[in-house]
């Protein structure tokens, strides 16, 4: 009995050229990859495949370790190049036809062996193709995870506006994970700077839904428990409408349209007023708050 | 029996909770405080919890009770120094302690108590009678 | 997949304090963030008090659990008390049989990542909570 790895080994050259021909006709994306690169990948993969198939027909086995690593590399580089996971999988799957053809020629007189070997090699290639899909998903998850972390770090600047007044300008969408970070950094900044007033500015938050509103209310409630007042500013007219339509209760929250309005309120709450500098008093500082 | 000390400072009573309280200790504190408020006719109670690592619903309820009871005895309660992690947890737990005044630290808390007691004296003077 | 576990009795008010300390030290060991530590310890305190008040005492098992790459702490509170006839009702905010705030079960559920409750009338109650790192 002849098994498929022997057929592949014997006809490696023919299979490779038939495979490349097949890909040039169908699967190839000339806009993303050159012919040379494609041929190089095909040759290397077929070589690894033929070698590994000699000792095993299980895609998860030790023998296919090198093949799997090569496919991981391909999945990653192709994703960077702009291939979809399907296209990468089809690159592997398109190897089926030339191998099947070679098997058909080699096992002409023995239909039952032919079916067995077609099944074994087909199954193996399916597994390897799925492996490229898994790798692509894994890479994408890594990218998403890294971006999320970067976003969390970037997105929570707590700034001091005045002695005792903090501002937290929020930009971007608020989800649970991010809200927790935002909440914690605001509350610890309140303690560190001994600030009685914190202004959360949501000018840069695209939408406010029930969940976001809940998160904001929780943050504001927690700040109150610690003894600080929290104002909400930067509420655009569209968001004000959404808040009312959704029936979100902001009764206990002090809101202002603009950050500057909230800041003015904060100063007056602390008993400070902003006065214009008298033209004569050259030495006095600019519009500076003065103790009442 | 173990007790949390209550300090008298003029018109005000001062409590610093530093130990991990078991439930009986919390109940004793509640009793002691109301007794002391009535005895000294105190105008305010300050409870500092800056070294408390958790506040669960039992301790939360005890704090709310103290605030409500002292209000009946015409004293203002201020809770000071709650840690951020404790505040976040209490909110998640579903307790907002909306009836209690809070302050960042003892200093701010004392200011609030003084304001409250000044205001109520002004009120008495203006009306010309005692509440 | 528990790597190790401990069982602590909950028989009196002092044990509620002990349970909090145990939960805290395990959370510290796993290097949970301060907020997550506080949430876990608070939930443990609520549930230990439930075990004591409603279940007439019982035990808490603490174990470190793993799920793929994530590690967490699982606390299991077990009592042989009267059990809870209507769990859905007991999990509602503000539902109380003891004159408390009714936040013990519903509140502690919000403080953890996983919450599992089994109860049989006349047999007892098991509440398991997990907080992942």
């Amino acid at each position: 009995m002849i098994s498929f790895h022997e057929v592949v080994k014997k006809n490696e050259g023919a299979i490779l050229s038939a495979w490349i021909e097949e890909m040039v006709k169908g699967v190839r994306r000339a806009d993303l990859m050159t012919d040379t690169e494609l041929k190089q990948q095909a040759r290397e993969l077929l070589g690894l495949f033929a070698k590994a198939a000699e000792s095993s027909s299980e895609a998860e086995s030790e023998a296919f370790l090198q093949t799997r690593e090569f496919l991981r590399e391909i999945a990653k580089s192709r994703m960077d190049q702009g291939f979809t996971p399907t296209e990468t999988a089809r690159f592997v799957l398109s190897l089926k036809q030339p191998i099947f053809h070679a098997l058909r020629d080699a096992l002409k007189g023995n239909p039952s062996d032919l079916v067995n070997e077609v099944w074994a090699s087909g199954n193996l290639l399916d597994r390897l193709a799925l492996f490229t899909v898994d790798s692509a998903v894994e890479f994408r998850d890594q990218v998403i995870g890294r971006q999320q972390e970067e976003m969390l770090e970037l997105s929570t600047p707590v700034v001091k506006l005045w002695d005792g007044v903090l501002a937290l300008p929020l930009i971007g969408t608020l989800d649970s994970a991010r809200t927790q970070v935002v909440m914690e950094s605001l509350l610890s900044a309140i303690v560190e700077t001994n600030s009685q007033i914190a202004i959360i500015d949501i000018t840069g938050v695209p939408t406010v839904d029930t969940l976001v509103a809940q998160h904001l209310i929780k943050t504001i409630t927690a700040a109150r428990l610690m003894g600080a007042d929290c104002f909400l500013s930067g509420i655009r007219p569209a968001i004000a409408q959404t808040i009312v339509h959704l029936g979100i209760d902001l009764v206990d929250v002090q809101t202002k349209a603009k950050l500057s309005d909230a800041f003015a309120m904060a100063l007056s709450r602390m008993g400070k007023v902003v006065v214009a500098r008298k033209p004569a008093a050259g030495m006095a500082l600019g519009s500076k708050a003065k103790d009442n | 029996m173990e007790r949390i000390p209550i300090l008298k400072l003029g018109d005000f009573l001062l409590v610093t909770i530093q130990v991990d309280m078991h439930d009986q200790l919390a109940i004793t504190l509640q009793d002691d405080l109301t007794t002391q408020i009535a005895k000294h006719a105190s105008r305010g109670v300050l409870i500092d919890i800056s070294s408390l690592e958790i506040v669960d619903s039992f301790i939360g309820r005890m704090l709310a009770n103290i605030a409500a009871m002292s209000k009946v005895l015409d004293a203002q309660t201020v809770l000071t120094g709650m840690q951020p992690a404790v505040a976040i947890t209490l909110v998640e737990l579903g307790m907002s302690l909306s009836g209690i005044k809070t302050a960042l630290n003892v200093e701010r808390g004392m200011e609030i108590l003084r304001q409250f007691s000044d205001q109520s004296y002004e009120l008495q003077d203006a009306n010309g009678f005692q509440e | 997949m528990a790597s190790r576990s401990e069982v602590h009795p909950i028989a009196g008010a002092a044990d509620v304090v002990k349970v909090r300390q145990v939960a805290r030290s395990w959370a510290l060991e796993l290097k949970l963030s301060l907020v997550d530590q506080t949430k876990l310890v608070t939930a443990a305190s609520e549930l230990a008090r439930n075990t004591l008040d409603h279940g007439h005492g019982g035990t808490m098992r603490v174990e470190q659990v793993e799920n793929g790459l994530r590690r967490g702490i699982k606390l299991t509170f077990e009592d042989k008390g009267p059990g809870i006839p209507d769990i859905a009702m007991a999990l509602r905010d503000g539902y109380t049989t003891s004159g408390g705030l009714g936040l013990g079960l519903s509140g502690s559920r919000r403080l953890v990542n996983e919450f599992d409750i089994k109860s049989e009338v006349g047999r007892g109650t098991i509440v398991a909570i997990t907080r992942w790192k």
Side-chain angles (χ1 to χ4, degrees):
Chain A
M1 184 193 133
I2 309 167
S3 78
F4 74 87
H5 71 83
E6 291 167 65
V7 178
V8 172
K9 193 88 185 161
K10 212 157 68 186
N11 303 298
E12 207 176 316
I15 290 174
L16 181 63
S17 41
W19 184 23
I20 289 171
E21 202 182 316
E22 181 65 27
M23 281 193 288
V24 170
K25 269 193 288 175
V27 205
R28 188 180 69 124
R29 292 276 304 268
D31 53 331
L32 299 177
M33 194 186 244
T34 63
D35 276 1
T36 344
E37 200 179 345
L38 180 67
K39 279 179 191 159
Q40 173 65 32
Q41 283 188 354
R43 186 178 305 117
E44 201 166 330
L45 178 60
L46 184 60
L48 286 167
F49 177 79
K51 192 158 172 286
E54 275 174 36
S55 45
S56 169
S57 57
E58 290 293 321
E60 285 79 22
S61 66
E62 190 68 32
F64 276 96
L65 185 70
Q66 259 187 301
T67 317
R68 290 200 304 270
E69 264 169 17
F70 181 65
L71 284 174
R72 253 177 83 90
E73 285 292 303
I74 287 187
K76 183 168 168 30
S77 67
R78 286 188 165 224
M79 205 165 81
D80 294 341
Q81 280 163 324
F83 284 91
T84 65
T86 309
E87 283 167 337
T88 310
R90 281 183 66 195
F91 163 67
V92 178
L93 290 172
S94 62
L95 179 55
K96 274 183 179 181
Q97 200 181 359
I99 291 185
F100 290 179
H101 281 167
L103 283 169
R104 186 191 57 197
D105 295 343
L107 293 164
K108 249 186 196 128
N110 194 340
S112 122
D113 274 4
L114 177 60
V115 171
N116 282 344
E117 292 310 305
V118 164
W119 168 252
S121 57
N123 201 15
L124 183 55
L125 285 169
D126 287 344
R127 293 287 183 83
L128 291 173
L130 285 174
F131 182 76
T132 64
V133 177
D134 281 349
S135 306
V137 172
E138 190 188 317
F139 288 129
R140 200 147 289 182
D141 282 350
Q142 281 173 5
V143 171
I144 294 171
R146 202 175 56 233
Q147 283 172 344
Q148 272 177 343
E149 267 173 40
E150 282 166 6
M151 243 177 63
L152 279 180
E153 280 165 21
L154 284 176
S155 60
T156 53
V158 182
V159 289
K160 184 174 169 180
L161 291 183
W162 200 264
D163 206 16
V165 185
L166 287 182
L168 177 75
L170 286 178
I171 293 162
T173 316
L174 285 174
D175 58 21
S176 306
R178 190 165 165 228
T179 313
Q180 185 165 356
V181 176
V182 167
M183 201 174 189
E184 286 179 41
S185 56
L186 177 67
L187 298 185
S188 41
I190 286 175
V191 176
E192 276 160 30
T193 58
N194 196 11
S195 297
Q196 300 148 39
I197 295 171
I199 302 169
I200 302 179
D201 184 76
I202 57 166
T203 311
V205 177
T207 50
V208 172
D209 56 16
T210 323
L211 202 67
V212 171
Q214 259 176 17
H215 285 323
L216 289 171
I217 292 171
K218 275 184 192 169
T219 310
I220 292 166
T221 313
R224 202 200 64 81
L225 279 173
M226 291 166 50
D229 282 329
C230 240
F231 305 158
L232 196 59
S233 75
I235 302 166
R236 283 174 278 128
I239 287 187
Q241 290 189 15
T242 328
I243 287 175
V244 174
H245 284 313
L246 288 174
I248 296 166
D249 188 7
L250 287 179
V251 173
D252 296 328
V253 179
Q254 184 59 255
T255 51
K256 284 280 177 191
K258 283 177 295 192
L259 177 58
S260 55
D261 299 338
F263 181 46
M265 182 164 67
L267 287 179
S268 94
R269 185 74 66 92
M270 293 174 68
K272 317 270 184 188
V273 283
V274 178
V275 291
R277 182 174 63 175
K278 285 191 195 102
M283 292 301 286
L285 285 170
S287 51
K288 189 183 178 219
K290 186 179 115 185
D291 278 349
N292 233 357
Chain B
M1 195 180 135
E2 202 185 351
R3 274 197 146 82
I4 294 173
I6 300 170
L7 309 176
K8 184 174 171 298
L9 206 77
D11 277 348
F12 310 127
L13 297 179
L14 220 70
V15 179
T16 309
I17 304 179
Q18 278 172 336
V19 290
D20 190 3
M21 275 195 296
H22 56 77
D23 296 356
Q24 189 52 49
L25 191 60
I27 294 169
T28 313
L29 175 66
Q30 191 177 303
D31 290 347
D32 287 356
L33 259 179
T34 39
T35 314
Q36 296 273 336
I37 294 169
K39 186 174 160 198
H40 303 296
S42 301
R43 305 289 304 150
V45 178
L46 187 143
I47 304 172
D48 183 62
I49 57 165
S50 52
S51 36
L52 217 53
E53 287 178 330
I54 75 150
V55 172
D56 61 5
S57 67
F58 189 89
I59 302 171
R61 179 154 64 116
M62 185 268 303
L63 293 170
N65 283 350
I66 290 176
M69 289 164 187
S70 43
K71 189 164 258 166
V72 176
L73 297 166
D74 195 28
Q76 175 71 41
T77 305
V78 178
L79 189 65
T80 64
M82 188 186 291
Q83 294 299 319
V86 174
I88 291 172
T89 305
L90 260 187
V91 172
E92 286 292 342
L93 195 62
M95 291 198 87
S96 55
L97 298 178
S98 45
I100 305 186
K101 273 212 173 305
T102 52
L104 284 173
N105 49 39
V106 175
E107 207 178 349
R108 284 284 306 150
M110 288 305 285
E111 271 173 46
I112 290 174
L113 286 185
R114 265 184 229 114
Q115 272 168 21
F116 170 81
S117 107
D118 290 350
Q119 267 170 16
S120 47
Y121 280 127
E122 275 167 29
L123 203 70
Q124 281 172 21
D125 293 345
N127 293 340
F129 64 86
Q130 292 236 320
E131 280 172 282
Chain C
M1 283 206 291
S3 39
R4 68 191 175 102
S5 72
E6 276 173 25
V7 176
H8 294 268
I10 301 172
D15 292 332
V16 177
V17 178
K18 172 79 180 155
V19 157
R20 291 204 284 251
Q21 288 161 355
V22 169
R24 171 78 66 183
S25 74
W26 281 64
L28 268 173
E29 207 173 299
L30 190 65
K31 298 199 175 69
L32 285 185
S33 76
L34 181 60
V35 173
D36 289 349
Q37 277 177 38
T38 312
K39 284 181 177 173
L40 182 74
V41 174
T42 309
S45 180
E46 298 292 341
L47 294 175
R49 189 175 293 109
N50 274 353
T51 302
L52 189 64
D53 293 351
H54 303 300
H56 312 311
T59 55
M60 177 191 76
R61 188 169 71 243
V62 52
E63 56 201 317
Q64 196 169 312
V65 286
E66 275 170 36
N67 169 12
L69 289 173
R70 290 163 88 204
R71 287 191 299 157
I73 291 174
K74 183 176 180 184
L75 304 176
T76 311
F77 296 83
E78 196 171 347
D79 69 57
K80 305 230 178 305
I84 303 168
D86 186 347
I87 291 181
M89 179 80 100
L91 281 171
R92 247 181 252 164
D93 261 356
Y95 176 80
T96 174
T97 52
S98 60
L101 291 169
L103 290 173
L105 277 183
S106 56
S108 48
R109 178 155 73 161
R110 284 192 293 268
L111 295 178
V112 292
N113 302 115
E114 278 167 37
F115 184 95
D116 186 40
I117 178 164
K118 289 191 197 76
S119 187
E120 213 178 313
V121 174
R123 284 284 183 77
T125 306
I126 300 177
V127 184
I129 56 171
T130 309
R131 179 97 217 171
W132 295 105
K133 194 182 173 185

